[in-house]
Amino acid sequence: MDNIRTWTAEDEAIIGTNTDATECKRCAVEFGYWKDDYITYFVKHVDRKAPEINRGYYARVRAIEMFIHQFLERCGTKCQIINLGCGFDTLFWRLKDTTQAVGNFIELDFPAVTAKKSHIIKRNKQLLQKIANEDGEVMIHDGDLHSDGYHLAGCDLRCLGEVRRKLAAAGALAAAPTLLLAECVLVYLRPDAADALLRYFAGEFERCTLVVYEQCNLGDKFGEIMLRNLSARGCLLAGSRQCGAPAEAAERMRALGFDCAKSWDMAAVWAALPEDDRARAEALEMLDERELLQQLHSHYALTVATRGDIFADIDLNA
Ligand SMILES: C[S@@+](CC[C@H](N)C(=O)[O-])C[C@H]1O[C@@H](n2cnc3c(N)ncnc32)[C@H](O)[C@@H]1O
């Protein structure tokens, strides 16, 4: 079905945001902000990014990781992670190198992205060997990659029927403790489509934690400029209307069926990171535009929402 569907120019621009994110992550990794032995397989060369961009990406990756670890500490590894709009994220491989590799890891993105990711995985032994089961078996079915504990499937997150089918093929279990990741993805969906997707997860997955990272406070001048710059590149941010104050993002999650939700702008998240982490990151590069970093921090938010008993006490300092 994916072969006959036509994707719009806007979809193509959205798909392109994965390249930006991967390049920015690789640049920050090269500067030593965090360790990622796998990102070089997904992007070969990057130009140097501004220090505030590197620092912003560090805050993003570190903050999401903080909740991933909190979740895994509570649930153990007999759980599933569903990475929505996964792009070329390397989390699966990074977790494999720790004691926190999870039972089932499912990644969803547009078929154009998952096909490329799948191709890169197949070509690189270091990636492939962490995916294959004991018999070295990896199945490719309808362009999707399936193995024991890792699934990469192409779909449009705006089509709930497709999402359900891909999750079923990937062995997702509604009753299993589930961590849902949505790192810079929901904002590309129209609010009704994003709401339907989130309502589905909140309704069906009785023990799930959702971690969302995306823009907030877009109603001010800085937000307007961000939107204008993205729109000049063909990305209209269909969900930008939902990017108000962080408290509104938390309220939205509760209205969609999550039991509790909290949201913070990245300035608050940064301040809550351990002092050692902040000091180490701050020593890596001189910051020319401190003001710009503050603006960026106040226009991105981390939202955590839960269903069930896993995370009755969501907190940055837990
Ligand atoms: C900014 S990138 C982020 C990638 C990854 N989550 C990260 O943070 O590195 C946004 C990703 O969401 C995906 N995406 C956006 N809208 C989508 C949709 N309707 N269906 C599937 N994937 C989508 C894009 O293809 C892209 O890979």
Side-chain angles (χ1 to χ4, degrees):
M1 189 175 79
D2 296 328
N3 296 338
I4 52 167
R5 179 178 299 162
T6 48
W7 303 96
T8 65
E10 200 195 333
D11 292 337
E12 299 292 344
I14 292 172
I15 287 166
T17 63
N18 171 49
T19 309
D20 293 344
T22 315
E23 287 184 359
C24 288
K25 286 181 178 179
R26 172 159 178 179
C27 179
V29 166
E30 277 177 10
F31 273 91
Y33 281 90
W34 72 93
K35 182 169 149 32
D36 184 337
D37 293 333
Y38 303 99
I39 195 146
T40 48
Y41 296 112
F42 292 99
V43 58
K44 287 298 162 209
H45 168 79
V46 284
D47 295 328
R48 184 179 180 159
K49 309 287 175 198
E52 25 314 319
I53 301 294
N54 292 333
R55 189 95 57 93
Y57 267 85
Y58 172 64
R60 160 176 172 173
V61 170
R62 182 71 183 82
I64 294 173
E65 201 181 84
M66 186 162 76
F67 279 99
I68 294 172
H69 291 313
Q70 280 191 33
F71 175 87
L72 293 175
E73 266 167 28
R74 284 159 205 237
C75 296
T77 52
K78 285 198 177 110
C79 64
Q80 59 198 359
I81 293 184
I82 302 176
N83 195 358
L84 303 168
C86 59
F88 288 171
D89 195 2
T90 58
L91 176 65
F92 170 80
W93 291 271
R94 287 182 281 125
L95 284 179
K96 268 276 180 180
D97 287 342
T98 68
T99 51
Q100 291 190 310
V102 301
N104 200 12
F105 200 109
I106 302 169
E107 304 211 274
L108 303 178
D109 205 301
F110 279 125
V113 176
T114 54
K116 255 195 209 160
K117 189 168 189 174
S118 177
H119 182 69
I120 294 169
I121 294 170
K122 280 181 283 165
R123 263 195 355 219
N124 290 286
K125 205 171 133 218
Q126 290 81 348
L127 298 173
L128 193 59
Q129 68 193 10
K130 297 244 150 85
I131 278 172
N133 65 17
E134 280 156 18
D135 309 323
E137 199 185 3
V138 173
M139 268 182 6
I140 311 280
H141 181 67
D142 262 356
D144 297 340
L145 188 155
H146 295 283
S147 72
D148 196 11
Y150 178 80
H151 304 266
L152 175 62
C155 68
D156 185 341
L157 296 171
R158 296 167 295 196
C159 304
L160 202 48
E162 224 178 292
V163 172
R164 283 170 176 270
R165 274 199 305 282
K166 296 290 175 164
L167 288 177
L173 298 172
T178 303
L179 179 64
L180 289 168
L181 299 175
E183 182 181 346
C184 273
V185 54
L186 297 176
V187 70
Y188 297 109
L189 276 54
R190 280 189 331 270
D192 57 335
D195 284 358
L197 183 70
L198 296 179
R199 204 178 283 117
Y200 158 70
F201 280 113
E204 300 271 319
F205 290 71
E206 45 200 69
R207 301 184 72 210
C208 78
T209 298
L210 165 71
V211 176
V212 179
Y213 174 90
E214 67 190 9
Q215 288 88 342
C216 66
N217 296 324
L218 285 183
D220 66 7
K221 193 80 204 151
F222 189 85
E224 210 180 283
I225 296 169
M226 275 172 91
L227 285 175
R228 208 181 313 134
N229 289 344
L230 278 163
S231 137
R233 296 168 50 200
C235 264
L236 297 175
L237 288 198
S240 63
R241 265 194 297 120
Q242 299 287 356
C243 298
E248 291 168 40
E251 183 50 46
R252 177 187 181 197
M253 299 308 160
R254 287 190 287 267
L256 292 171
F258 288 92
D259 300 324
C260 45
K262 283 197 184 156
S263 185
W264 310 265
D265 74 12
M266 290 306 289
V269 174
W270 182 257
L273 288 182
E275 206 173 327
D276 292 359
D277 285 5
R278 278 182 287 139
R280 191 189 62 79
E282 281 166 2
L284 289 173
E285 285 180 286
M286 280 277 290
L287 209 59
D288 307 325
E289 302 263 9
R290 193 160 286 277
E291 172 80 2
L292 176 58
L293 181 65
Q294 277 160 5
Q295 293 276 25
L296 284 171
H297 273 169
S298 59
H299 287 82
Y300 280 92
L302 186 75
T303 304
V304 181
T306 69
R307 268 231 52 212
D309 53 3
I310 299 171
F311 249 115
D313 51 340
I314 308 167
D315 206 346
L316 284 174
N317 299 309

